Amino acid sequence: MQNMRILQLHCDYIEFTPVKKEIKSAEEIDPQSKHFDEIVVAFVAVEEGDNSEVAKKAMNEISESMKKVGCNKLLLYPYAHLSSKLASPNTALSILKEMQSNVDGLDIHSAPFGWTKSYKLQVKGHPLAENSKSISAGEEKESTSEALKAESKIQSFWHIMTPDGKMHDINKFNFVKYQNLEVLAKYEAAKKRSVDEPPPHVKLMKKLAIADYEAASDAGNMRFFPNGRLIKSLIERYVTEQVVEYGGFEVETPIMYDSHHPSMESYFNRFPARQYNVQSEGKQLFLRFAACFGQFLMAKDFQMSYKNLPLRLYELTRYSFRREQSGELVGLRRLRAFTMPDCHAMCKDMEQSKEEFRKRFDLSRHVIKGIGLDESDFEMAIRFTEEFYNENKSFIEEIVSKIGKPVLVEMWKERFFYFVLKWEFNYVDSLGKASALSTDQIDIENGKRYNIEYIDENNKPQNPIILHNSPSGAVERVIYVLLEKAAKDQKEGRKPTLPLWLAPTQVRIIPIKPEFLEYCEKLAEKISQNNIRVDLDDRNESVGKSIRDAETDWIRYIIVIGEKEVNASKLSIRDRKTSSVKEMSVDEMIKEIREETKDMPFLKMNMSRYVSKRPQIMV
RNA sequence: GCCUCGAUAGCUCAGCCUGGUAGAGCGAACGCCUCGUAAGCGUUAGGCCGUGGGAUCGAAUCCCACUCGAGGCUCCA
């Protein structure tokens, strides 16, 4: 596309002298020096294809920005060096003349066209003094992938499927018992939203010193404090352990790729993502928005037999990047940099894919449950092409029946995406926002696109069907869900908590007086040796204050140590879950905690055991 | 990206409409208190009122732009 190039400078003064004619068609003028004070100088290069419309538009933009700097004197200065695709001199001259005559209210001068000029100018120091533009004839459009453009053309039909496999008209379905599903359905199908407050997890993520915005980065790139890092690590570890148990092979692939690599170019147009671009040594790179291509490119280099299938590759991407629209980013719900567990399974045919799909469906349900959500916390949506539905009705019905409640159905008349079937679990928050967590897809396209092959029973090369699963969804989003769920508890009068296995501090010990500190240290050591995160409030504060601080940090077990405990075997332990003080021995408490966190990963405390040694994180 | 709103001490916020010396609580430092299950007491330090411009004798306060955040639109494979 051709663009007129303009470099605009707000100057204290400019002085120029025409030296000699550069081209035949140069303007006939008297080569005298000229001097202007307090003036905006616009260096202009007219490119091939520029026309009157461009001239008009350019003048509008120039005069608009001149208003902002409070100046109405303009010098149009022909300046060929701004472009390598210059218009012919005659066209350029006529467009420049047109620009000069185009605007009311401005005092417009021009420097002679086609002359070599010597000049001297002084540019003002304010931020708006320098400014460059390129003006084109049509609407300016950001380059978007074909997929993004085409997506809006998809024709969808919405239904509700009940566990018995029956499809219901979405407008006639009785949602009385399924309010969250109704919200999801409206959210997805009717695109209805109505919220006038920020989501509660934003306050909580700061209050609990989990995560915060980092203004020095790009929007949607969060920073995680020790508590947040610990929680993330635990979730990451848990999901990874579960995927490995299911049979995933953990791999690691690069976070950036060459946009012009042949495998990338065609994939781009099938994956509607806005990506971050990076220029490096003449290469145009982009930051990955999923682990798909890394794993596909890897699988392509494997020599595979049908006997190896299904082959499950897994990567936990820290990070995946999607340059979402800035207005779309909120707290931990939707980010531009996020941690995504991504597991692909290469399957030999549709039968095997369906079998594998069932396993991964169960895996995802298990993972979500382990994280601390139950089935009433999310609503399922399942999406497929009409053709796939007609050929696989009983398979779809089987999947839906496992959930045991109605699910949202989106059916596409034609296949538009690379997959024929996809489901996801959506968390519906208290403000009625729906966000996808776990998801799986059956991809019938990318095996071929990436030239991934296996050798079948007849010694023939075949492209596998590929399943794309994230058993938990983005880790940051999981934290968002846990915090939103806690906020909901709080709103409804219950005490907000994190699942015990994720609590940064599981037990806090508070000595009544400093003289009991030594006893507390020994106690803490014993508890810690049992893989429990315990800390010690060694600040010289009142007991009431220390307990309050522990409560506002959502700490589950609080042990107060005084004269009585030092001399007895039982401790008084405050349990946040029951809001009561219980008499119990350390061993009983340890047993209780081990029982509640069994099968879940453990990591040591990520900060000093001593509360007095920690900085206050107030954000 | 577009529209609307917001930004004042480390945090939460008042002051802004109607321009004239910058306020509170929490937190921090120091000291006192030595405490039994959700805030013990006192003193002190801490501010380019987000950044840059404009109008004004004078701006946290009025105007403009930018940055960051929030809500809506759009988007969400």
Side-chain angles (χ1 to χ4, degrees):
Chain A
M1 178 174 291
Q2 277 72 39
N3 295 310
M4 175 183 283
R5 312 264 167 184
I6 300 172
L7 174 66
Q8 193 182 311
L9 303 171
H10 189 193
C11 301
D12 290 322
Y13 72 89
I14 180 165
E15 203 173 287
F16 62 85
T17 314
V19 179
K20 71 176 216 310
K21 273 190 186 178
E22 192 68 18
I23 50 174
K24 263 194 216 153
S25 49
E27 281 181 277
E28 291 301 329
I29 47 124
D30 177 15
Q32 271 188 357
S33 294
K34 287 202 174 153
H35 181 107
F36 299 96
D37 288 313
E38 292 299 317
I39 189 163
V40 168
V41 180
F43 292 96
V44 180
V46 181
E47 291 204 326
E48 283 173 28
D50 286 345
N51 53 25
S52 304
E53 189 195 337
V54 172
K56 205 180 223 170
K57 225 162 139 183
M59 285 315 289
N60 283 342
E61 292 211 14
I62 291 173
S63 69
E64 198 56 38
S65 55
M66 286 178 67
K67 268 183 216 153
K68 285 176 193 161
V69 298
C71 176
N72 79 332
K73 206 193 291 177
L74 174 66
L75 175 67
L76 288 175
Y77 196 111
Y79 201 76
H81 317 288
L82 290 170
S83 171
S84 53
K85 298 177 289 188
L86 289 172
S88 74
N90 286 337
T91 321
L93 184 54
S94 73
I95 287 181
L96 281 165
K97 290 283 167 214
E98 208 171 321
M99 287 170 73
Q100 205 175 339
S101 61
N102 227 326
V103 177
D104 303 327
L106 284 185
D107 178 13
I108 306 183
H109 305 264
S110 67
F113 183 84
W115 288 72
T116 306
K117 301 170 279 279
S118 72
Y119 67 96
K120 200 163 125 189
L121 54 74
Q122 182 165 324
V123 180
K124 288 183 181 293
H126 64 86
L128 296 178
E130 300 172 285
N131 171 331
S132 75
K133 318 176 197 300
S134 68
I135 316 284
S136 57
E139 292 294 297
E140 301 99 4
K141 249 190 223 151
E142 196 175 78
S143 70
T144 10
S145 72
E146 287 306 310
L148 262 185
K149 277 186 237 164
E151 205 183 7
S152 52
K153 296 179 197 153
I154 310 167
Q155 203 184 355
S156 293
F157 299 92
W158 298 91
H159 305 274
I160 298 294
M161 189 184 281
T162 40
D164 56 12
K166 287 214 177 77
M167 292 271 244
H168 303 261
D169 186 323
I170 198 167
N171 297 313
K172 294 192 186 131
F173 187 75
N174 183 355
F175 284 106
V176 170
K177 284 194 277 179
Y178 310 104
Q179 293 192 356
N180 279 342
L181 183 65
E182 181 174 21
V183 174
L184 175 67
K186 292 227 168 102
Y187 193 84
E188 288 289 321
K191 307 282 181 195
K192 175 183 175 279
R193 280 141 241 199
S194 57
V195 182
D196 52 4
E197 51 183 311
H201 82 279
V202 173
K203 256 191 179 158
L204 291 178
M205 78 186 188
K206 296 180 182 195
K207 184 183 101 78
L208 297 173
I210 289 173
D212 187 25
Y213 301 107
E214 172 53 77
S217 179
D218 189 29
N221 287 255
M222 311 295 277
R223 56 183 183 187
F224 288 81
F225 302 116
N227 286 345
R229 185 57 235 151
L230 177 75
I231 292 170
K232 274 188 77 178
S233 294
L234 284 164
I235 296 171
E236 288 165 12
R237 204 169 269 223
Y238 173 66
V239 176
T240 302
E241 277 173 13
Q242 294 301 312
V243 174
V244 168
E245 192 152 315
Y246 141 77
F249 303 159
E250 189 177 9
V251 299
E252 182 171 328
T253 61
I255 68 161
M256 59 180 88
Y257 294 86
D258 186 340
S259 308
H260 299 304
H261 187 279
S263 306
M264 291 303 146
E265 280 191 332
S266 70
Y267 191 64
F268 258 169
N269 291 334
R270 295 298 275 150
F271 198 113
R274 298 176 167 84
Q275 69 282 344
Y276 279 111
N277 293 310
V278 178
Q279 298 285 349
S280 177
E281 292 184 333
K283 268 193 183 173
Q284 164 95 27
L285 302 165
F286 71 93
L287 300 185
R288 66 174 173 198
F289 35 88
C292 301
F293 17 90
Q295 292 179 20
F296 296 169
L297 292 166
M298 186 183 272
K300 173 180 169 298
D301 292 339
F302 289 172
Q303 172 153 333
M304 288 191 284
S305 145
Y306 69 96
K307 293 174 192 163
N308 307 138
L309 306 184
L311 180 79
R312 298 117 176 175
L313 293 181
Y314 167 73
E315 180 170 7
L316 189 112
T317 65
R318 198 161 105 214
Y319 291 103
S320 287
F321 298 89
R322 294 184 199 176
R323 213 184 38 108
E324 306 291 3
Q325 298 182 86
S326 58
E328 210 17 60
L329 306 164
V330 201
L332 293 172
R333 190 165 89 95
R334 196 164 176 78
L335 298 173
R336 283 182 171 175
F338 53 94
T339 308
M340 184 65 102
D342 206 347
C343 180
H344 294 90
M346 323 277 157
C347 301
K348 64 175 181 166
D349 52 26
M350 190 51 83
E351 261 331 287
Q352 190 176 61
S353 301
K354 279 153 65 178
E355 193 44 45
E356 193 64 10
F357 200 80
R358 291 184 179 97
K359 282 189 192 157
R360 295 148 69 89
F361 190 70
D362 293 341
L363 168 70
S364 303
R365 285 171 66 200
H366 178 72
V367 165
I368 286 291
K369 198 173 164 204
I371 280 165
L373 302 173
D374 55 59
E375 294 200 340
S376 65
D377 284 322
F378 60 82
E379 300 300 329
M380 179 169 150
I382 189 162
R383 302 157 202 258
F384 37 76
T385 59
E386 188 169 28
E387 188 189 0
F388 187 86
Y389 175 64
N390 290 334
E391 288 167 9
N392 299 279
K393 268 190 189 170
S394 64
F395 171 65
I396 288 173
E397 287 164 12
E398 178 200 330
I399 295 282
V400 169
S401 73
K402 285 189 182 190
I403 285 296
K405 60 177 180 178
V407 309
L408 176 67
V409 169
E410 179 176 15
M411 187 153 77
W412 297 300
K413 199 81 194 156
E414 287 167 57
R415 182 169 73 86
F416 169 78
F417 300 109
Y418 52 76
F419 46 83
V420 288
L421 172 67
K422 133 175 225 228
W423 60 261
E424 83 268 340
F425 295 150
N426 292 281
Y427 180 78
V428 177
D429 70 21
S430 56
L431 302 177
K433 295 276 191 175
S435 312
L437 290 168
S438 326
T439 179
D440 203 1
Q441 306 165 353
I442 301 181
D443 170 2
I444 57 166
E445 216 179 85
N446 284 307
K448 185 159 191 214
R449 165 167 296 119
Y450 279 80
N451 207 14
I452 302 170
E453 287 181 346
Y454 70 91
I455 304 298
D456 72 7
E457 294 91 327
N458 304 314
N459 200 25
K460 289 261 163 57
Q462 302 284 355
N463 300 121
I465 293 176
I466 304 173
L467 308 185
H468 300 233
N469 171 233
S470 181
S472 64
V475 174
E476 294 80 4
R477 185 170 280 184
V478 168
I479 298 175
Y480 144 79
V481 169
L482 291 171
L483 292 177
E484 286 292 329
K485 195 168 139 73
K488 199 170 174 184
D489 283 342
Q490 192 162 31
K491 202 173 163 188
E492 289 167 9
R494 297 180 295 273
K495 279 196 177 181
T497 58
L498 286 174
L500 188 56
W501 72 283
L502 288 173
T505 294
Q506 293 166 319
V507 179
R508 170 156 300 166
I509 303 175
I510 301 172
I512 282 172
K513 287 192 237 177
E515 59 183 278
F516 302 121
L517 196 57
E518 200 181 324
Y519 178 91
C520 292
E521 281 169 339
K522 283 192 188 132
L523 183 63
E525 191 48 37
K526 176 172 181 179
I527 296 170
S528 173
Q529 273 166 9
N530 283 279
N531 280 357
I532 290 168
R533 285 183 294 273
V534 56
D535 62 18
L536 195 49
D537 190 348
D538 59 331
R539 300 171 304 165
N540 192 5
E541 292 288 353
S542 69
V543 178
K545 172 70 180 289
S546 291
I547 287 176
R548 184 184 150 84
D549 286 352
E551 284 281 350
T552 54
D553 281 348
W554 299 4
I555 294 170
R556 169 72 181 273
Y557 295 96
I558 303 171
I559 310 179
V560 176
I561 298 294
E563 198 71 45
K564 207 172 76 188
E565 287 74 20
V566 173
N567 297 315
S569 60
K570 296 266 178 186
L571 301 176
S572 354
I573 300 177
R574 191 178 161 110
D575 185 347
R576 182 174 173 78
K577 196 169 185 182
T578 56
S579 298
S580 62
V581 179
K582 287 188 281 195
E583 295 284 316
M584 68 198 297
S585 70
V586 210
D587 293 322
E588 286 168 326
M589 183 196 73
I590 289 171
K591 203 176 148 208
E592 197 175 292
I593 296 173
R594 294 301 301 261
E595 181 60 28
E596 191 168 334
T597 58
K598 74 167 194 277
D599 302 334
M600 304 312 280
F602 170 78
L603 286 170
K604 286 198 151 76
M605 184 157 269
N606 194 16
M607 277 202 279
S608 169
R609 174 177 291 175
Y610 297 95
V611 174
S612 73
K613 299 281 186 215
R614 298 180 190 165
Q616 292 263 336
I617 301 176
M618 302 195 98
V619 287

